[in-house]
Amino acid sequence: MWDFAEMSSDEVASLRARYEPLTQSIRELIDAALHVDADNQVVDQAKAQIDAAAELLRAHPASTRQGMALTPEGESIPWDNLGNGIRNPLAPPLVVEHTGPTSARIDVELGAAYEGPPGHVHGGYCALVLDQILGEVASRGSIETVAATGTISLRYLRPTKLGRLHVEAEIQRTEGRKIFITGHIADEDGTTVTAEGLFIVLRQ
Amino acid sequence: MWDFAEMSSDEVASLRARYEPLTQSIRELIDAALHVDADNQVVDQAKAQIDAAAELLRAHPASTRQGMALTPEGESIPWDNLGNGIRNPLAPPLVVEHTGPTSARIDVELGAAYEGPPGHVHGGYCALVLDQILGEVASRGSIETVAATGTISLRYLRPTKLGRLHVEAEIQRTEGRKIFITGHIADEDGTTVTAEGLFIVLRQ
């Protein structure tokens, strides 16, 4: 259903070593830009450096963008994914740890860039985090199984504080190609958002 | 319920003129980084320029971060909001246009940074977009009314293509402090995701 770039584990390691530090630097730049209070001269100077970096990168465009890679060993590597992409500065990234065949967790720290109400995580980003972990559990972290979101329902118990979050999800039952999964997000004070999702298996 | 920084319209205009171009430059840097295919030397050179810009910004830290501003005229300005923040490079931004007292729309173009499945918008970001517009409709774009998400349910009809999107939302009915709102996202081929939300009015 989706296109992948096939590449060896060595090639993946080489690209990761090249682009992961660049991505991390942009993440830190974003955070710095959200915390600065400077005059026009300083801001314009930083902008000029950023524009120069962008111009340098644009001078070497990829012929085709490869959002995901697949190794002969069956490992899938998310390059561009908004949730967990190694090359996407918008991804914290959300690293999903499979805690069993039907369950997973994410531990992540979200800073100013993920804010909705002042001091709190954007409610829509809570939905994104839960969509990400439910989808990963549905697919069991394997490229062999592709599961698409059918429906997802979220209940907001209270605002989620920015900072360290713990996220869990678990398959409740399966019916043919339908997988029913629940999950939740917790901040330092406990559960803030719960989710129920129905995923559909597209390919096995 | 939330903290705001009070500032005059002139002050808002001055800060917007200072930080909006910086934010836009970082958005373009992110897009360039997702489309580059260069050797280590080029990538390291760009990274050094980015690190220099971040160091310059970090040398002028704000004493307190002000995620949102409120003018004496009652206008609220989102600085840091993940969905529509003028100063947040992660925000496309999602500019909500109120088409009536109970309805609104967003027209936005989403590029590589918002990808989930290759070539398509991250399903969780569709949820974020719908949460944003439903929340804005619930609050009617006014700081006088603060509405919190109670529940939101999303139905994914098919994957949403990256590119130009049209989003609409409308209040269906209100019951005391409860507001029931529906919305949908459409790509160039039509509706891809629908949403139903229940919002709770916290303050009027």
Side-chain angles (χ1 to χ4, degrees):
Chain A
M1 173 142 189
W2 311 118
D3 291 327
F4 307 102
E6 293 195 20
M7 55 178 69
S8 70
S9 294
D10 283 355
E11 207 177 345
V12 166
S14 166
L15 288 177
R16 182 192 276 260
R18 181 180 303 161
Y19 291 114
E20 204 164 38
L22 174 73
T23 312
Q24 188 55 31
S25 283
I26 300 175
R27 289 181 187 128
E28 288 167 16
L29 172 67
I30 292 164
D31 193 68
L34 284 166
H35 287 89
V36 71
D37 181 10
D39 60 25
N40 287 344
Q41 196 186 340
V42 167
V43 173
D44 290 350
Q45 190 185 338
K47 179 181 181 302
Q49 289 170 321
I50 293 162
D51 289 342
E55 193 179 336
L56 183 59
L57 295 175
R58 272 195 297 266
H60 303 270
S63 52
T64 56
R65 195 167 53 79
Q66 303 176 324
M68 202 181 287
L70 182 62
T71 68
E73 295 80 25
E75 193 195 2
S76 71
I77 296 91
W79 291 128
D80 293 356
N81 187 286
L82 172 59
N84 64 359
I86 293 165
R87 287 188 57 167
N88 193 334
L90 274 58
L94 301 169
V95 179
V96 175
E97 183 190 347
H98 288 268
T99 47
T102 59
S103 62
R105 70 179 181 196
I106 296 172
D107 285 284
V108 67
E109 183 149 5
L110 297 183
Y114 300 92
E115 187 171 271
H120 295 78
V121 181
H122 192 291
Y125 200 79
C126 293
L128 187 150
V129 170
L130 285 160
D131 175 82
Q132 184 90 20
I133 194 169
L134 267 60
E136 290 261 356
V137 168
S139 300
R140 283 161 209 156
S142 161
I143 206 68
E144 301 299 312
T145 305
V146 175
T149 314
T151 61
I152 187 166
S153 297
L154 305 143
R155 180 173 296 274
Y156 293 81
L157 309 181
R158 58 178 177 78
T160 304
K161 287 184 192 168
L162 288 175
R164 291 207 64 78
L165 302 182
H166 179 72
V167 190
E168 292 186 7
E170 187 170 20
I171 293 177
Q172 297 301 322
R173 67 183 196 281
T174 60
E175 290 175 10
R177 292 168 58 229
K178 295 182 183 174
I179 309 176
F180 297 85
I181 311 173
T182 59
H184 71 269
I185 295 179
D187 65 12
E188 59 181 15
D189 296 328
T191 300
T192 58
V193 187
T194 63
E196 292 182 22
L198 162 59
F199 287 73
I200 313 291
V201 176
L202 301 179
R203 186 174 70 186
Q204 261 182 319
Chain B
M1 173 137 187
W2 311 118
D3 291 328
F4 307 102
E6 293 193 21
M7 55 178 69
S8 70
S9 294
D10 283 354
E11 205 177 346
V12 167
S14 165
L15 287 177
R16 182 192 276 262
R18 181 180 302 160
Y19 290 114
E20 204 164 38
L22 174 73
T23 311
Q24 188 55 30
S25 283
I26 299 175
R27 290 182 185 126
E28 288 166 16
L29 172 68
I30 291 164
D31 193 68
L34 284 165
H35 286 89
V36 71
D37 182 8
D39 60 23
N40 286 346
Q41 198 187 338
V42 167
V43 173
D44 289 350
Q45 191 185 337
K47 180 183 180 301
Q49 288 169 323
I50 293 161
D51 289 343
E55 194 179 333
L56 183 58
L57 296 175
R58 270 194 298 266
H60 303 270
S63 52
T64 56
R65 195 168 53 78
Q66 302 176 321
M68 200 181 288
L70 181 62
T71 69
E73 295 79 26
E75 193 195 2
S76 70
I77 297 93
W79 292 128
D80 293 356
N81 187 286
L82 173 58
N84 64 358
I86 293 165
R87 286 187 58 167
N88 193 333
L90 276 57
L94 302 170
V95 179
V96 175
E97 183 190 346
H98 289 267
T99 49
T102 60
S103 62
R105 70 179 182 197
I106 297 173
D107 285 284
V108 67
E109 182 150 5
L110 297 182
Y114 300 92
E115 187 171 271
H120 295 77
V121 181
H122 192 291
Y125 200 77
C126 293
L128 187 150
V129 171
L130 286 161
D131 175 82
Q132 185 89 22
I133 193 169
L134 267 61
E136 290 261 357
V137 168
S139 299
R140 285 160 208 161
S142 160
I143 206 68
E144 301 300 311
T145 305
V146 175
T149 313
T151 62
I152 187 166
S153 297
L154 305 143
R155 180 172 297 274
Y156 293 80
L157 309 180
R158 58 178 178 76
T160 304
K161 287 184 191 167
L162 288 175
R164 291 207 64 78
L165 302 182
H166 179 72
V167 190
E168 292 185 7
E170 187 170 19
I171 293 178
Q172 298 301 321
R173 68 183 195 282
T174 60
E175 290 175 11
R177 291 169 58 230
K178 295 183 183 174
I179 307 176
F180 297 84
I181 311 175
T182 59
H184 72 269
I185 295 179
D187 65 13
E188 59 181 14
D189 296 327
T191 300
T192 58
V193 187
T194 63
E196 293 182 21
L198 162 60
F199 287 72
I200 313 290
V201 176
L202 300 179
R203 186 175 68 186
Q204 261 183 317

